[in-house]
Amino acid sequence: MTDSKYFTTTKKGEIFELKAELNSDKKEKKKEAVKKVIASMTVGKDVSALFPDVVNCMQTDNLELKKLVYLYLMNYAKSQPDMAIMAVNTFVKDCEDPNPLIRALAVRTMGCIRVDKITEYLCEPLRKCLKDEDPYVRKTAAVCVAKLHDINAQLVEDQGFLDTLKDLISDSNPMVVANAVAALSEIAESHPNSNLLDLNPQTINKLLTALNECTEWGQIFILDCLANYTPRDDRESQSICERVTPRLSHANSAVVLSAVKVLMKFMEMLPKDLDYYGTLLKKLAPPLVTLLSAEPELQYVALRNINLIVQKRPEILKHEMKVFFVKYNDPIYVKLEKLDIMIRLASQANIAQVLAELKEYATEVDVDFVRKAVRAIGRCAIKVEQSAERCVSTLLDLIQTKVNYVVQEAIVVIKDIFRKYPNKYESVIATLCENLDSLDEPEARAAMIWIVGEYAERIDNADELLESFLEGFHDESTQVQLQLLTAIVKLFLKKPTETQELVQQVLSLATQDSDNPDLRDRGYIYWRLLSTDPVAAKEVVLAEKPLISEETDLIEPTLLDELICHIGTLASVYHKPPSAFVEGGRGVQHKRLPARAGSGESAESPDVGQAVSAVSDAPPAVIPSQGDLLGDLLNLDLAPPTSNVPPVPSSMQMGAMDLLGGGLDSLMGDESETSASHYRTEVQSPQPPECSERELGGDVGGSPAMGVSLGGAPVGMPAGLGAAPAVGGGLGDLFDLGGGVGVTAGSYIPPKTVWLPAMKAKGLEISGTFARRSGVIHMDLSFTNKAMSVMTDFAIQFNKNSFGLAPAGPLQVLTPLSPNQTVDVSLPLSTTGPVMKMEPLNNLQVAVKNNIDVFYFSCQYPISLLFVEDGKMDRQVFLATWKDIPSENEAQFQIKDCHLNSDAASNKLQGSNIFTVAKRTVDTQDMLYQSVKLTNGIWMLAELRIQTGNPNSTLSVKCRAPEVSQYVYQCYELILRN
Amino acid sequence: MIGGLFIYNHKGEVLISRVYRDDIGRNAVDAFRVNVIHARQQVRSPVTNIARTSFFHVKRSNIWLAAVTKQNVNAAMVFEFLYKMCDVMTAYFGKISEENIKNNFVLIYELLDEILDFGYPQNSETGALKTFITQQGIKSQHHTKEEQSQITSQVTGQIGWRREGIKYRRNELFLDVLESVNLLMSPQGQVLSAHVSGRVVMKSYLSGMPECKFGMNDKIVIDKQGKGGTTDEAGKSELGGSSGKQSIAIDDCTFHQCVRLSKFDSERSISFIPPDGEYELMRYRTTKDIILPFRVIPLVREVGRTKLEVKVVIKSNFKPSLLAQKIEVRIPTPLNTSGVQVICMKGKAKYKASENAIVWKIKRMAGMKESQISAEIELLPTNDKKKWARPPISMNFEVPFAPSGLKVRYLKVFEPKLNYSDHDVIKWVRYIGRSGIYETRC
């Protein structure tokens, strides 16, 4: 009979029988009995009642029997702590045994018995074993310290075991070193701030030496520990890398991956122009590819890691596309991961091959895999523009297969392709429409509805198609309902005459019959937009959409960096930081990549500057393709440029009337013009699903007319809404009426000051100021005759000055100036005169002549005089310029006692041609990004931070000619305070 | 680290359960059974997270091995360990089956106690383990003090894979170069991907602690020597390799832990003290200039909705003097196949309904030959909208050469302490090329 019989005993009274056998005199019988006990324990039976009998078998010279008894002890000691003490004596005795195997066994087992009383007895034997002459005992004792620490951390510290453990790092035996490193690393994890491991160049050197000599597992412990070290400089980093690279040829994949982790991390510190950096990059590819010939489970781990590596350093594997081609017999988890990496590696160079592969995959059996393959084709189209056409035709082929899930998936991705390449592939719409009936998944339905709405003007029966969806409106998922609502509104705006009924139907379905707040809100917004101002509605709903981004599924850079530090571990498999799946505080400190040497980019302005410099280091791929850098970086609550609606000229009114046809025009009346012209909206139209719908609630500058016109809501508008006060309130919330509107304020004109006192000019007093009116600079002068005689023959001349100001015409003082008479003259100035730098910069030396004499005076003009009307910079340009201007050119100022909120300030400044390019709000602080252009073409960029309730604001000015900054600041102060 | 290790049979009954960490409870055993083994769906990942507990599993025939943890462990290490565990078990008692595991459960527990300590893998080289974990029930006193310290120093030492004092009357070694050639070809005959993954397996029966040096026609080494102008005396193809003129570009290689990696990294020389008996010295991969032993030319024609005509030609592409063996061509058929008629020029062909394929077998085929099979497949009419996926045609074969072109140039043995020299060692080299995944799409 063989041992398998022990698994089948199910008799009654078994325990009793076993008890008898355990106490038998015959050694063989005893052993058999213990085996039975262990077998029962394994299958989950409770054999704890046999505790004393089993422990009695412990005193034996049969090693095999001893091990079985120990196994039993480890399992049940915790439930029978008192009886477990019976075993202590044997353990202590065994720790003195001449046979090192027995000493090690005893100390190893003792550490696994989690009973307080036993741990007390463990300390002395452990101390001895840590200094045992035999390396086998020492390596076992090293791990035992970690065990004891897990039971009673304080005890380990008090007993000084940590120091002994640290000493073992210098042990002569490599395996002892490896286990000590493993134990220390684990203990260190639960004391994040302790300097337990104390990695310094000396210990690192010891570890690297042990690395060459210890077992494959020991190499993993050491490499994982090395990865936590941060070298002092790039030279140390390189020398460690050089000693770690041989590990890439190890047969054990875990050794290879841990080595890759160390290299990926330390590479961060190497200068990119270093030859070694390139060598290292080249060395990394082959071992990663080799990992793909490992067993499937390891391939999976490797692929999850490669996915991270490809995102961090795409250059490593860019030529290795083929190895990621899916094999027919790959397990599904390997197939899906390979597909993911294929898309990441797809480029113009290999797209033909990739597409051919993807097409093959789309005919496979596994539904998930096929879907992902179809989706991948769409992603290729978006990623590699040259391939878009081929991708679309491949997708059409797939649609022809009529396989339901393939068709649906294809429609979802075609919608994305439309978003990326508008007005290019619309010819396929007819084919898509044929498959309308087969769509049963919400995502596909929503995508199809979006397409119909977006291209309603080209689809003859768009209204019928949409109407067919409307029938089961309430059974649809929210995604489909929202899309249907938007699509019908679009349709209405495009074909108002035939679809009025449809739009009212959907609006009332959305607002009255639905209990979904998102749907109702969107319904109301459309309703009001349509009833208030169809022109605006058109601008909003049919606005050009920003192009969609190429790489939407990249891991966020900081997380990616953290995951790179966890290569090979579970975190890298899950693509989640350890804190997401590990309980308690163990091992959840965030790891970070070291900084590259010499990348000491000084922070610029505290906020923007950092954001900008961070970007220059970050992988560029994450930035959405629409190039809305600023929007993304500064998290501006602005819409992309395309949806910026310029003030609608009054000629648009015709369009509005057309659009409205008969039904609505009476509602509009005269107001449509005013409301339209005031409508400086920055709303984004509702986007298809992948673009955040939440943006809808943007910063709509409501028009003053809106509240009024709402009174006349269309027929069928719920009564409660028709009531003005309720509406006003609601709108205020929705549209944030407060800001943004405001009548454009004129530029600020300082009061006249006396430039030339009468005393100095033989009775002629000149006071004056400067003003900029409709793009022309004027010098407003008052001449007062305080002398006794008449003054005639006035003329004026300027000295050369910083900005080339010069009179654009002769001074027109027509009448002779009688005593005590004052005449006001406005002298237009040009900026084409001779230029000479003045001190201060805005100084202007003037000579005025009359029949009596020539008088000289100097005056200072506010530099805002020179701010031109076309000084609004494009946002991308702004960001690029801001980055481009060195940080030394930045100046910061405090503006005190300015009680304006950001919108008012922005308005006021705009009057003086200081344009707000973007605005961002962080907590209570508003940041305005502004641009100014001078007459001589110099651009000035400014960041104005206004804290709600704080009269002091901060102004940062960046300019290629930094000497101007100070004057700009003066202007700000002048404008804002007055 | 690994918190526990369980072995289940196909029904999900526990055969072995060893818990190493306090955070793993008995319920983990059941969680894996319920969520993975008894799961209705196909396994979607070898790593499963159930209630913040991660399970790693591998399957050997119908036995499940699962490692479980609650920490952020080194996932690659866990799988490597599970494979190693399988190797160790196989080395001790053969095939991993329910019967064998039940019969050896005491041994398995003993092994698990030794090779995993607190979840940290320890020395798991079978050579070393077998010196002190035996099924003989040896008593602890059996070993002398010297023997004991010899065991412990071997288990913990630098050369954990070999014991001292091995003696053979005849010093002999066998080298097998085993390659598996993989191909994915388009229906038009375009190579979509091709690579060779090779292994050098060594059986050494050498006395003492022999120092070995292994050389092959590695392009990097040959080029280096060519430049140096002096041909290494070792360059003489002493082991019956061909002229050695050709060299091959090795994409990547990995070595048994006995090989000194730093020396390979710096000098690209492969030196080591081998384990006793059989082991895998190295693995390598090549993608350039692969000799594809066979070319498959498929022709599939759909004749109406109920008939398929298939013609497949195979051509052998190697020296006419060499013979390929165990040739098998597998032509997949649709699921709704009702009948098949086959005609083949050579070998035997059969339609195997249970495997949904026509299997064509040829015992031997010389190089530069060609053979052909044609088949008519009758189909049952179906309403199934889903198209037949047309799996690729796959091939199996064995050829007596290395498709990568690898040649062994030398394997030198030095044993300074014992008086036998390199010339006294009898050496054998053999090349076998087998098909890996050798597929042609149709």
Side-chain angles (χ1 to χ4, degrees), chain A residues 325-326 342 353-361, chain B residues 192 441:
Chain A
F325 284 177
V326 170
M342 278 174 69
Q353 271 186 323
V354 173
L355 264 182
E357 282 294 307
L358 292 176
K359 203 176 167 183
E360 287 285 335
Y361 305 162
Chain B
L192 296 174
R441 288 182 179 155

Side-chain angles (χ1 to χ4, degrees), chain A residues 417-678:
Chain A
I417 295 175
F418 283 172
R419 285 291 310 280
K420 171 78 181 177
Y421 309 108
N423 305 315
K424 225 172 157 187
Y425 300 111
E426 282 70 20
S427 53
V428 309
I429 290 175
T431 321
L432 303 185
C433 289
E434 286 165 21
N435 293 286
L436 212 60
D437 299 334
S438 63
L439 308 181
D440 52 13
E441 289 159 24
E443 206 184 349
R445 284 172 84 82
M448 192 64 219
I449 291 169
W450 182 84
I451 292 171
V452 173
E454 186 67 14
Y455 298 101
E457 68 274 25
R458 306 183 203 192
I459 305 171
D460 295 336
N461 60 343
D463 49 342
E464 285 169 35
L465 293 178
L466 292 177
E467 200 168 1
S468 68
F469 281 105
L470 206 53
E471 282 159 19
F473 189 76
H474 289 297
D475 301 327
E476 299 283 3
S477 73
T478 312
Q479 190 184 10
V480 180
Q481 289 176 331
L482 286 169
Q483 217 41 261
L484 193 53
L485 173 61
T486 304
I488 292 180
V489 172
K490 283 181 189 167
L491 174 70
F492 170 68
L493 291 168
K494 289 173 178 178
K495 299 181 180 173
T497 45
E498 313 115 70
T499 56
Q500 210 166 319
E501 209 171 299
L502 195 60
V503 81
Q504 290 201 351
Q505 205 182 339
V506 77
L507 285 175
S508 85
L509 276 172
T511 53
Q512 286 175 297
D513 300 344
S514 168
D515 47 9
N516 181 316
D518 284 350
L519 187 63
R520 277 210 313 261
D521 279 358
R522 195 187 279 196
Y524 282 136
I525 289 170
Y526 284 144
W527 203 318
R528 278 165 207 154
L529 263 175
L530 290 173
S531 58
T532 317
D533 186 351
V535 181
K538 204 166 182 175
E539 297 288 355
V540 171
V541 179
L542 302 181
E544 224 175 281
K545 273 149 279 299
L547 296 182
I548 60 168
S549 55
E550 289 167 15
E551 300 281 354
T552 44
D553 60 338
L554 286 179
I555 294 173
E556 186 262 323
T558 46
L559 176 61
L560 181 62
D561 284 357
E562 190 183 348
L563 292 179
I564 289 289
C565 301
H566 288 293
I567 282 179
T569 69
L570 262 180
S572 72
V573 173
Y574 292 147
H575 287 186
K576 284 178 187 159
S579 53
F581 59 91
V582 174
E583 270 166 15
R586 188 177 236 163
V588 296
Q589 310 111 282
H590 289 282
K591 295 190 178 180
R592 254 181 267 133
L593 289 175
R596 189 177 303 281
S599 72
E601 266 173 62
S602 61
E604 293 161 274
S605 96
D607 213 289
V608 179
Q610 267 166 24
V612 167
S613 63
V615 165
S616 58
D617 272 354
V622 189
I623 293 157
S625 67
Q626 62 200 60
D628 192 2
L629 278 173
L630 197 69
D632 225 66
L633 276 176
L634 307 182
N635 187 21
L636 296 166
D637 49 355
L638 274 180
T642 45
S643 62
N644 253 334
V645 181
V648 184
S650 55
S651 65
M652 277 299 286
Q653 206 192 338
M654 276 310 289
M657 297 311 266
D658 282 352
L659 174 85
L660 285 166
L664 293 170
D665 58 352
S666 60
L667 299 170
M668 300 297 298
D670 297 332
E671 283 150 8
S672 66
E673 188 185 339
T674 44
S675 67
S677 59
H678 280 280

Side-chain angles (χ1 to χ4, degrees), chain A residues 883-905:
Chain A
K883 270 163 72 177
D884 207 37
I885 299 177
S887 54
E888 310 86 75
N889 283 11
E890 182 175 341
Q892 220 177 69
F893 307 95
Q894 286 291 322
I895 298 173
K896 293 199 171 113
D897 297 311
C898 163
H899 294 276
L900 297 168
N901 69 19
S902 58
D903 290 321

Side-chain angles (χ1 to χ4, degrees), chain B residues 189-400:
Chain B
Q190 189 193 356
V191 177
L192 296 174
S193 72
H195 75 272
V196 167
S197 52
R199 307 186 297 144
V200 178
V201 175
M202 183 173 175
K203 268 180 240 161
S204 70
Y205 304 105
L206 302 168
S207 310
M209 284 300 216
E211 260 303 326
C212 296
K213 208 174 162 192
F214 174 69
M216 55 190 174
N217 58 339
D218 176 2
K219 193 165 189 305
I220 298 176
V221 177
I222 305 272
D223 288 356
K224 209 159 56 181
Q225 287 171 354
K227 260 180 225 154
T230 53
T231 29
D232 193 329
E233 37 80 34
K236 287 177 229 152
S237 52
E238 111 193 36
L239 285 174
S242 69
S243 60
K245 257 185 211 161
Q246 288 170 285
S247 57
I248 62 159
I250 293 175
D251 286 23
D252 189 36
C253 46
T254 59
F255 296 99
H256 184 267
Q257 59 170 323
C258 66
V259 175
R260 295 181 189 94
L261 294 180
S262 38
K263 209 159 179 189
F264 178 73
D265 194 59
S266 56
E267 301 164 25
R268 219 169 159 90
S269 75
I270 303 164
S271 60
F272 52 96
I273 294 171
D276 192 40
E278 183 172 337
Y279 73 101
E280 187 179 286
L281 174 65
M282 73 178 280
R283 278 178 187 235
Y284 56 92
R285 189 166 48 80
T286 72
T287 48
K288 287 202 189 73
D289 304 321
I290 293 168
I291 307 158
L292 295 171
F294 284 94
R295 164 92 203 272
V296 176
I297 305 154
L299 200 77
V300 181
R301 212 160 63 90
E302 289 179 38
V303 187
R305 285 175 56 96
T306 55
K307 205 169 151 191
L308 275 179
E309 282 180 9
V310 181
K311 200 176 104 176
V312 177
V313 179
I314 58 167
K315 286 181 178 174
S316 58
N317 176 35
F318 44 88
K319 274 192 233 161
S321 58
L322 298 174
L323 274 182
Q325 293 184 69
K326 300 176 190 167
I327 301 148
E328 187 185 291
V329 182
R330 186 170 283 262
I331 304 161
T333 56
L335 297 175
N336 56 336
T337 302
S338 60
V340 177
Q341 274 143 15
V342 219
I343 309 161
C344 58
M345 286 159 56
K346 220 180 165 202
K348 281 180 190 162
K350 244 189 207 164
Y351 166 62
K352 294 197 174 170
S354 60
E355 296 167 36
N356 286 311
I358 298 167
V359 181
W360 176 25
K361 287 184 180 173
I362 303 170
K363 277 198 182 131
R364 262 178 223 99
M365 189 166 169
M368 308 314 278
K369 288 263 173 14
E370 184 177 319
S371 192
Q372 180 183 325
I373 184 173
S374 43
E376 274 184 22
I377 302 169
E378 308 275 342
L379 302 175
L380 290 171
T382 55
N383 301 326
D384 202 357
K385 262 191 184 173
K386 215 155 79 180
K387 252 182 76 189
W388 177 49
R390 279 206 189 182
I393 295 174
S394 58
M395 239 197 121
N396 289 313
F397 53 80
E398 201 179 291
V399 289

Side-chain angles (χ1 to χ4, degrees), chain B residues 112-167:
Chain B
L112 282 176
D113 196 45
E114 185 59 44
I115 61 180
L116 261 190
D117 190 5
F118 202 41
Y120 289 105
Q122 304 293 307
N123 193 338
S124 45
E125 285 300 311
T126 340
L129 289 172
K130 279 192 170 169
T131 58
F132 68 106
I133 295 184
T134 61
Q135 286 172 286
Q136 313 308 316
I138 27 147
K139 291 176 183 162
S140 44
Q141 278 85 359
H142 266 208
H143 293 289
T144 64
K145 195 149 190 268
E146 288 80 58
E147 278 170 343
Q148 285 163 3
S149 70
Q150 205 185 336
I151 289 170
T152 58
S153 78
Q154 196 203 332
V155 174
T156 60
Q158 292 181 31
I159 307 167
W161 53 86
R162 189 180 180 94
R163 63 189 170 87
E164 300 240 13
I166 296 171
K167 277 204 181 73

Side-chain angles (χ1 to χ4, degrees), chain A residues 365-383:
Chain A
V365 202
D366 190 283
V367 179
D368 282 351
F369 180 60
V370 171
R371 281 174 179 277
K372 200 164 181 175
V374 175
R375 210 160 267 231
I377 297 174
R379 274 169 66 187
C380 285
I382 290 165
K383 196 171 174 196

Side-chain angles (χ1 to χ4, degrees), chain B residues 30-44:
Chain B
D30 303 322
F32 182 76
R33 175 182 31 242
V34 172
N35 289 288
V36 180
I37 300 182
H38 291 170
R40 291 220 182 113
Q41 278 191 322
Q42 191 195 353
V43 179
R44 300 307 264 193

